[in-house]
């Protein structure tokens, strides 16, 4: 892709890939390449050869001059450009089929494609929509291909960036969104109306206080004070997963799992038919959850944790920040009798034993990356936040 892809989805007929990049553009790519790709590649190579011949012959001359550049920094950059003898173009032509559908004026964060059955029998075909989110708190509802340029409406209710979108398979008219706010929003996205709002901060604070041990602080007159660890950092939703777990007597328990960046837990909510969510349980994972997936039978949830990004993953001993920290995985299984998610120790231990055999190296040439406890949040969702705030504030 010409720009860095950040979101991907399939159309309901599973024939087209919808891909969005960091610049806000959304493209449609065929899942199966056509026979004309070979001819297109040959045409692109011929064009690159012609462009290279023109580039090597003509010297590079910048369009700016000292009369149009005034600041010292820009004048220094202009002098470097004038000293260059030749400058080859770094842009490569695209050698595969793609179609620009629409674009956001802000950084695109997530997108999803959904199909809604028609209520009339005049047109039996379902109507498809593309729902996309960006950094500017917007959730855009567009028509599907080939009318993706037509905007049906906007779901406006977030005050920070929107990072994740989720539509339950059992109710495609419901949209669950989360981002840099302190809450989740449940939408009737066809009418752009908020159905329910869930406060996440209270749930996360309670989770952190249960897992963080109390610390003794030296007070006045040699008085020892026991202080609880409190978390006042920002919230960023990293995963939203709709689950239809099978319970007893062939019934299904429709739930929603939510993960926030840096929080060592998975929040489970019960989904009601009217779109409201009720908090069921908070499952501790010991470290920050970086990925979440559900099995085909919807009765098991797999999660990956990265110790370098957890609130509770820091070590109090000196020198441990530079030691490599190994990521791990875990399995949760739905207990139909208890109605809760329990850790599957057998599968978790098997996966952990297999991952321990993978060596941790200093480089990434063999595909193994070395993770340090002092790793910065360069790829964190917090980089989407416009107003500067501390990542985490542990007291």
């Amino acid at each position: 892709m010409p720009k860095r892809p950040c979101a991907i989805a399939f159309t309901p007929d599973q024939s087209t890939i919808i891909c969005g990049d960091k610049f806000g553009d959304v493209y449609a790519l065929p899942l199966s390449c056509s026979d004309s790709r070979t001819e297109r590649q040959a045409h692109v190579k011929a064009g690159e050869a012609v462009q290279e011949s023109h580039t090597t012959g003509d010297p590079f001359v910048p369009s700016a001059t000292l009369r149009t550049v005034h600041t010292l920094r820009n004048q220094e950059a202009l002098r470097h450009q004038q000293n260059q003898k030749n400058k080859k173009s770094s842009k490569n032509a695209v050698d595969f089929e793609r179609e620009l559908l629409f674009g956001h004026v802000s950084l695109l964060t997530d997108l999803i494609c959904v199909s809604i059955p028609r209520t009339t029998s005049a047109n039996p075909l379902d109507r498809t929509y593309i729902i996309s989110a960006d950094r500017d708190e917007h959730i855009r509802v567009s028509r599907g291909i080939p009318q993706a340029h037509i905007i049906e409406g906007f779901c406006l209710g977030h005050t920070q960036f929107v990072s994740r979108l989720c539509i339950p398979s059992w109710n495609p008219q419901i949209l669950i969104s989360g981002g840099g706010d302190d809450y989740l929003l449940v939408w009737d996205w066809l009418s752009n109306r908020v159905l329910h709002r869930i406060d996440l901060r209270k749930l996360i604070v309670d989770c952190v206080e249960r897992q963080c041990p109390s610390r003794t602080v030296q007070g006045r007159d040699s008085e020892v004070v026991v202080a609880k660890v409190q978390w006042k950092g920002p919230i960023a939703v990293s995963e939203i997963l709709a689950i239809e777990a099978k319970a007893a007597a062939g019934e299904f328990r429709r739930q929603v799992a939510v993960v926030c960046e840096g929080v060592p837990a998975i929040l489970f909510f019960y989904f009601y038919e009217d779109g409201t969510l009720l908090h069921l349980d908070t499952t501790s994972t010991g470290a920050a959850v970086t990925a979440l997936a559900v099995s085909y039978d919807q009765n098991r949830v797999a999660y990956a944790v990265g110790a370098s990004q957890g609130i509770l993953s820091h070590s109090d001993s000196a020198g441990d920040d530079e030691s490599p920290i190994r990521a791990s995985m875990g399995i949760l299984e739905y207990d139909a009798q208890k109605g809760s998610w329990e850790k599957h120790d057998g599968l978790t231990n098997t996966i952990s034993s297999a991952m321990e055999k993978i060596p941790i190296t200093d480089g990434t040439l063999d595909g193994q990356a070395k993770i340090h406890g002092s790793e910065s949040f360069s790829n964190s969702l917090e980089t989407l936040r416009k107003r500067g705030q501390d990542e985490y504030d542990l007291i």
Side-chain angles (χ1 to χ4, degrees), residues 165-178:
L165 302 174
C166 176
I167 292 184
S169 59
W170 58 84
N171 193 345
Q173 297 184 4
I174 295 296
L175 171 68
I176 306 172
S177 63

Side-chain angles (χ1 to χ4, degrees), residues 41 196 223 256 314 334 357 368 375 390:
Q41 290 178 347
H196 192 208
E223 181 182 358
V256 175
H314 61 279
Y334 184 73
K357 299 178 182 180
Q368 305 296 330
E375 182 182 4
D390 295 335

Side-chain angles (χ1 to χ4, degrees), residues 286-288 290 305-314 325-328 371-373:
T290 57
V305 295
S308 61
Q309 294 183 356
I311 297 176
L312 309 180
S313 61
H314 61 279
I325 302 176
R326 188 183 298 275
S328 61
I371 304 176
H372 295 276

Side-chain angles (χ1 to χ4, degrees), residues 252-266:
F252 291 92
R253 294 291 182 265
R254 294 169 176 174
Q255 301 180 14
V256 175
V258 178
V259 172
C260 295
E261 188 176 66
V263 178
I266 304 175

